[in-house]
């Protein structure tokens, strides 16, 4: 079992992606299939950027076992008032600053769903959001 | 299409990287990184006018090996450093996105969709 944990700073686009990049390095060392790695790190990066773009601070926790990788991204932030709406392609509340960085297409959450096997959002308005994702490591398509 | 021919056709320069004999089969042009992250394509050239550190991070996560910056957008030292660490080639052209895509399409670079 490999366990990893990283802090994520809200608003700091210079550092966004650092945690996902570290995880990618570990997954490569574990010799996981490259196509699976891509799906995992794209989902993680979308989730990491969401904390940077929409929340104040957060953490990324990763648990890797031979059969699956569990990922938990927890943040303190505004929360999501309507998760169903947030999950729709194209829905975004991203600020101008976030859009200038190349984000805010409203594609992140749907893309996370597409790239993972399980995805669950727990959120409380004014408190924060927890996103749990799982990817099984044995079902290479 | 080889990088050498892309460089010739677009009067492009190599900002960093050493992959001139590399081939790309498809091209995708977007300034939105979240659009790029929805693709699942190998040997793809990313054509973009968004030049910041997240352009390189996006390429890293999406296994994009070659980024072409259009409209003379400059790569910052941080971008170049990260591209070197992640083995990504950055090209730059002064041509607009439209002109760049028009030329590459007419010379046979395929769209992703
Ligand atoms: N961690 C979060 N905290 C608060 N709000 C969030 C969080 N993650 C997502 N949201 C809300 O859900 C919306 C949709 O998120 P999604 O990731 O799909 O798109 P986006 O981040 O706006 O743009 P993109 O991901 O395409 O760059 C966001 O605009 C935001 O309103
Ligand atoms: Mg997002």
């Amino acid at each position: 079992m490999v366990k990893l944990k990283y802090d994520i700073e809200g608003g700091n686009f210079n550092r966004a992606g650092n945690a996902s990049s570290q995880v990618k390095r570990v997954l490569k060392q574990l010799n996981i299939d490259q196509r699976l790695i891509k799906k995992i790190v794209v989902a993680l990066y979308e989730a990491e950027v969401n904390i940077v773009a929409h929340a104040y601070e957060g953490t990324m926790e990763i648990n890797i076992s031979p059969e699956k990788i569990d990922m938990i991204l927890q943040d303190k932030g505004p929360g999501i008032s309507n998760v169903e709406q947030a999950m729709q392609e194209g829905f975004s509340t991203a600020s101008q600053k976030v859009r200038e960085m190349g984000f805010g297409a409203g594609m992140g959450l749907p893309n996370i769903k597409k790239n993972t096997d399980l995805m669950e959002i727990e959120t409380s308005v004014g408190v924060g959001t927890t996103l749990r994702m799982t990817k099984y490591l044995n079902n290479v398509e | 299409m080889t990088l050498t021919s892309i460089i010739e056709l677009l009067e492009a320069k190599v900002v960093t990287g050493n992959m001139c004999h590399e081939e790309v089969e498809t091209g995708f042009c977007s300034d939105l990184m979240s659009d790029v992250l929805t693709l699942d394509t190998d040997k793809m050239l990313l054509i973009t006018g968004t030049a910041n550190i997240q352009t390189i991070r996006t390429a890293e996560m999406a296994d994009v090996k070659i980024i072409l910056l259009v409209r003379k957008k400059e790569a910052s030292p941080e971008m170049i450093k990260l591209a070197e660490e992640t083995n990504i080639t950055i090209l730059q052209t002064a041509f607009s996105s439209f002109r760049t895509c028009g030329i590459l399409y007419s010379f046979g670079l395929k769209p992703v969709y």
Side-chain angles (χ1 to χ4, degrees):
Chain A
M1 186 79 141
V2 178
K3 285 176 182 288
L4 306 165
K5 189 169 180 183
Y6 307 94
D7 289 327
I8 300 166
E9 211 181 307
N12 188 346
F13 272 97
N14 285 323
R15 293 179 49 85
N18 284 14
S20 303
S21 178
Q22 301 284 335
V23 176
K24 183 173 186 182
R25 219 163 290 176
V26 173
L27 295 176
K28 274 187 179 166
Q29 282 165 3
L30 293 172
N31 271 322
I32 290 168
D33 178 80
Q34 191 205 322
R35 290 172 51 93
L36 264 178
I37 293 182
K38 179 172 164 179
K39 288 176 201 284
I40 293 164
V41 299
V42 163
L44 269 180
Y45 177 58
E46 291 279 18
E48 183 178 358
V49 170
N50 273 357
I51 295 181
V52 176
H54 308 297
Y56 315 135
E57 58 172 334
T59 55
M60 176 192 289
E61 265 184 83
I62 308 287
N63 292 308
I64 309 168
S65 66
E67 61 276 5
K68 64 176 180 168
I69 172 168
D70 287 313
M71 303 162 268
I72 304 169
L73 285 100
Q74 197 162 22
D75 69 60
K76 295 196 176 88
I80 305 172
S81 57
N82 185 337
V83 173
E84 205 185 314
Q85 187 182 41
M87 285 298 300
Q88 280 168 19
E89 285 188 7
F91 176 83
S92 176
T93 62
S95 66
Q96 188 56 35
K97 181 190 159 203
V98 169
R99 287 171 202 271
E100 274 161 21
M101 295 307 294
F103 293 93
M107 297 302 288
L109 291 175
N111 201 25
I112 290 170
K113 179 136 189 99
K114 196 182 89 185
N115 282 291
T116 55
D117 295 318
L118 300 171
M119 171 193 185
E120 193 186 276
I121 296 175
E122 209 182 290
T123 183
S124 170
V125 173
V127 180
T129 300
T130 302
L131 169 66
R132 289 193 180 80
M133 313 182 273
T134 298
K135 186 80 182 167
Y136 295 108
L137 299 176
N138 38 20
N139 57 348
V140 185
E141 297 134 64
Chain B
M1 189 176 245
T2 63
L3 285 208
T4 315
S5 47
I6 292 172
I7 290 164
E8 264 176 37
L9 288 167
L10 302 175
E11 298 168 25
K13 73 169 192 195
V14 181
V15 178
T16 179
N18 180 23
M19 298 220 273
C20 289
H21 299 290
E22 193 89 356
E23 297 245 352
V24 285
E25 285 166 7
T26 55
F28 187 78
C29 178
S30 179
D31 288 348
L32 278 173
M33 295 303 115
S34 16
D35 278 343
V36 178
L37 289 164
T38 62
L39 306 175
D40 190 11
T41 316
D42 289 331
K43 299 195 172 196
M44 188 190 89
L45 174 70
L46 170 59
I47 303 156
T48 185
T50 299
N52 66 60
I53 198 91
Q54 296 311 318
T55 313
I56 315 294
R57 280 286 182 225
T58 297
E60 179 193 357
M61 301 307 158
D63 289 336
V64 170
K65 288 285 156 212
I66 301 133
I67 300 170
L68 170 63
L69 299 176
V70 294
R71 305 196 293 274
K72 224 174 179 170
K73 294 287 175 181
E74 295 287 343
S76 67
E78 293 76 30
M79 285 172 68
I80 293 171
K81 184 163 169 278
L82 187 58
E84 281 166 359
E85 282 169 20
T86 50
N87 205 18
I88 288 167
T89 292
I90 307 178
L91 310 177
Q92 186 208 49
T93 177
F95 294 1
S96 69
S97 308
F98 183 74
R99 185 171 175 191
T100 298
C101 293
I103 291 169
L104 294 179
Y105 187 86
S106 70
F107 278 85
L109 191 66
K110 299 221 164 6
V112 176
Y113 57 81

